[in-house]
Amino acid sequence: MKVCVLSGGTGTPKLIQGLKKVMPEKDITVIVNTAEDTWLGDLYLSPDIDTVLYTFSDLINEETWYGVKGDTFTTHETLKKFESNDFKEFLRIGDKDRALKMHKTHYINKGYPLSKIVDMEREIFNIKANIFPMTDDNVETKILIKEDDEGGHKNKILLKFHDFWINRKGNADVLDVFYENSNYASAVDGALDAIENCDFVIIGPSNPITSIAPILSIKDIKKAIKDKRVFAVSPIVGNSAVSGPAGVLMRAKGYSVDAVGVYKFYKDIINTLVIDNADKDKIDGIKCNVVVTNIIMNSLTDKIKLAKDIIVGYKSLDKK
Ligand code: GDP
């Protein structure tokens, strides 16, 4: 059995940890959000890709879901001492993590497509799964907010996701979310082949607006997925996201922040929604197949159990 997983950089990687324990890694393909990729000074950052690479190589720092566990910060601390008006060390990046980012930057500057670089890194880490960026083109999530200026005028401002979530800590009156350039972007051929050849697609419990919608904004991917059986795991339990800004962004897009809102967001493409035991009472509002189980992944046992529940759900669908 082959699965194709759509992933951001926190919720879905937890599920991937479970999946890789219950099926051969080589049968897993992950298509990863790149709409939060950015340049930080001279360094190219592809945060979700790196988290997926570290997840498969068991290096991920599970406290933050970015960077390498046990990493040191000598370079970061040294660069901090070098700071001046036009030389800034913006983010706390660990030494080993920086090495991966420098590797990407080197090849990006040489003009290599991101998918080729990720494939090189996948081999360096001896990862058997396939990992593809959603596109080799530049697509960027932008958050449109409304803000009063000092004169009391309402201004509309288009923010980078990093500015919205890190600098403003998500405190903003969100009007809309866009995936800049997605109309002109195409999927990587290998990713489309993987979708075509997989048994089913799993939309992991990542942020629907900032991690999954950018992937689905690539037309070829959305089209390829339409012909497949698709399971989505809700990132929302009760009336809030397990973590991060999914709630505020779903509300801004006009969806309720609950399992029914997740269903409505995905309804055109999914066959089955996986929801939490706590949300059993929402089933009537969900007009597709539903798997009800524990979807909060605190331990490896939780992750393995959820991965197995999804596979059992798929197999029972196949018998219908
Ligand atoms: P990002 O790229 O760091 O924003 O991460 P993702 O988009 O991959 O994941 C963020 C989403 O994961 C949030 O909306 C969380 O609600 C969800 N999430 C985090 N941990 C869990 C979990 O244990 N279970 C479920 N169901 N969702 C989770």
Side-chain angles (χ1 to χ4, degrees), residues 244-290:
V248 59
L249 296 177
M250 281 184 63
R251 210 171 286 118
K253 279 284 198 185
Y255 295 92
S256 58
V257 184
D258 57 12
V260 176
V262 176
Y263 160 70
K264 288 188 176 158
F265 189 80
Y266 288 134
K267 74 178 171 26
D268 292 343
I269 45 166
I270 62 170
N271 305 92
T272 303
L273 183 66
V274 185
I275 65 169
D276 196 71
N277 291 318
D279 293 325
K280 268 197 209 88
D281 58 331
K282 307 274 176 11
I283 288 184
D284 286 348
I286 301 172
K287 311 289 179 208
C288 65
N289 301 306
V290 181

Side-chain angles (χ1 to χ4, degrees), residues 114-296:
L114 183 61
S115 55
K116 186 160 180 182
I117 305 168
V118 172
D119 203 45
M120 289 158 73
E121 294 170 346
R122 188 182 71 81
E123 280 190 19
I124 292 167
F125 286 122
N126 199 19
I127 295 170
K128 302 284 178 278
N130 295 300
I131 303 172
F132 296 103
M134 65 188 202
T135 180
D136 281 329
D137 300 317
N138 291 321
V139 172
E140 196 177 347
T141 296
K142 291 279 175 71
I143 317 277
L144 183 70
I145 67 160
K146 192 171 63 179
E147 200 169 62
D148 289 340
D149 65 16
E150 283 166 8
H153 301 110
K154 297 219 175 301
N155 291 328
K156 288 181 180 171
I157 308 172
L158 202 54
L159 300 177
K160 284 174 172 273
F161 178 73
H162 188 86
D163 197 7
F164 165 74
W165 186 236
I166 308 289
N167 300 343
R168 294 174 188 244
K169 306 207 164 23
N171 294 317
D173 193 355
V174 178
L175 296 173
D176 210 345
V177 183
F178 302 98
Y179 311 108
E180 216 170 67
N181 199 41
S182 67
N183 258 344
Y184 307 100
S186 33
V188 175
D189 286 345
L192 294 177
D193 292 344
I195 295 172
E196 194 180 328
N197 294 322
C198 76
D199 292 277
F200 71 110
V201 173
I202 301 174
I203 296 179
S206 282
N207 185 327
I209 312 286
T210 58
S211 292
I212 303 300
I215 304 176
L216 297 173
S217 77
I218 310 296
K219 285 184 222 125
D220 318 339
I221 295 185
K222 188 157 186 187
K223 187 160 166 259
I225 282 175
K226 269 202 164 250
D227 299 333
K228 306 303 292 193
R229 291 214 158 134
V230 181
F231 277 58
V233 182
S234 175
I236 309 279
V237 176
N239 291 104
S240 52
V242 179
S243 62
V248 59
L249 296 177
M250 281 184 63
R251 210 171 286 118
K253 279 284 198 185
Y255 295 92
S256 58
V257 184
D258 57 12
V260 176
V262 176
Y263 160 70
K264 288 188 176 158
F265 189 80
Y266 288 134
K267 74 178 171 26
D268 292 343
I269 45 166
I270 62 170
N271 305 92
T272 303
L273 183 66
V274 185
I275 65 169
D276 196 71
N277 291 318
D279 293 325
K280 268 197 209 88
D281 58 331
K282 307 274 176 11
I283 288 184
D284 286 348
I286 301 172
K287 311 289 179 208
C288 65
N289 301 306
V290 181
V291 171
V292 183
T293 185
N294 171 40
I295 62 167
I296 299 184

